[in-house]
Amino acid sequence: MNDEYQRLPLQNSPWPTVVYLEQSLPEFRGNPLIEALPPILSAMEAYERLCLTPIYNDEERKLSPELRYTALFRLQQFFQPVMQHLELERKFSSLIRSGSLSRNPLDPAFVQQVTGNVVPGVRSSASSLTFMGFSGIGKTTAIERVLSLYPQSILHTHPVNLFQIVWLKLNCPHESVRWSILWDALQGDIASER
């Protein structure tokens, strides 16, 4: 970990203390937006972190049928990742990190761009991911499980004062038109995701 990013925790802050992790890849080093993210997971680590197993006690077999029936609803909490989920996690991890490459707040070229100056030779690192499928096959569940591995936002206070939105999830409305997505976002759907 880079010592220059050490800081004292904020008093009475709703934000967790940021932990900046040393990066193995040179292009990620020195970028607090990337260093504040959770570590890149191996396939096994991702599998273990994505799994959700409801509580189970063998003694519950002796309970009344009504209680056992009620306990069945625990299965709604069950999630066992398959290869597609692990691939989604890997793509999201790469997407979020590569998207922060050209947004390093410690890079003078980025600061010039933010202030409206054109900086020759600086290319955007923005990218996107499309996730499509039939209704009811688990797209939302998969996305939400992967997003749960990352904080939605991070408050940096050192070396820069910066509020980082790590991810933003907008549900596509039934009308599936652009103005409808914007309208839903402005109505507070974004805030309710937090």
Side-chain angles (χ1 to χ4, degrees):
M1 183 165 31
N2 204 334
D3 287 338
E4 66 185 84
Y5 296 131
Q6 295 292 329
R7 68 177 182 86
L8 297 175
L10 296 173
Q11 297 298 322
N12 301 321
S13 172
W15 303 101
T17 301
V18 179
V19 176
Y20 296 93
L21 303 175
E22 187 174 326
Q23 300 296 302
S24 298
L25 296 176
E27 62 269 28
F28 293 165
R29 289 186 199 133
N31 186 334
L33 302 183
I34 297 173
E35 291 179 344
L37 295 173
I40 296 172
L41 302 175
S42 70
M44 183 55 77
E45 290 169 329
Y47 178 85
E48 290 170 357
R49 300 267 315 272
L50 290 170
C51 271
L52 283 179
T53 306
I55 59 170
Y56 171 76
N57 184 343
D58 213 30
E59 291 294 315
E60 291 178 356
R61 292 173 169 235
K62 299 174 186 172
L63 296 174
S64 70
E66 296 79 19
L67 289 174
R68 289 180 18 225
Y69 177 80
T70 303
L72 282 175
F73 288 94
R74 292 180 192 154
L75 293 176
Q76 293 176 339
Q77 303 304 314
F78 177 76
F79 185 83
Q80 182 174 4
V82 294
M83 288 306 295
Q84 290 86 347
H85 298 122
L86 301 178
E87 183 180 332
L88 177 64
E89 185 281 328
R90 181 173 284 176
K91 286 180 179 179
F92 184 77
S93 175
S94 296
L95 184 75
I96 204 162
R97 285 170 172 77
S98 65
S100 299
L101 281 174
S102 67
R103 293 175 177 85
N104 185 348
L106 302 180
D107 183 358
F110 174 73
V111 174
Q112 285 182 346
Q113 271 186 301
V114 171
T115 57
N117 298 321
V118 177
V119 181
V122 175
R123 296 182 58 195
S124 171
S125 61
S127 53
S128 63
L129 175 68
T130 302
F131 194 54
M132 296 186 298
F134 293 109
S135 178
I137 63 169
K139 297 179 303 295
T140 299
T141 301
I143 291 288
E144 288 175 352
R145 286 302 304 142
V146 170
L147 292 178
S148 74
L149 301 177
Y150 293 87
Q152 185 174 12
S153 55
I154 299 171
L155 179 64
H156 300 266
T157 57
H158 181 76
V160 293
N161 291 322
L162 182 71
F163 182 73
Q164 176 185 1
I165 298 174
V166 178
W167 57 265
L168 186 64
K169 178 179 161 269
L170 293 174
N171 291 323
C172 186
H174 297 290
E175 299 88 29
S176 300
V177 292
R178 279 185 257 180
W179 69 265
S180 178
I181 294 172
L182 179 60
W183 179 255
D184 287 350
L186 293 175
Q187 291 300 310
D189 283 352
I190 294 174
S192 68
E193 292 290 327
R194 179 137 167 66

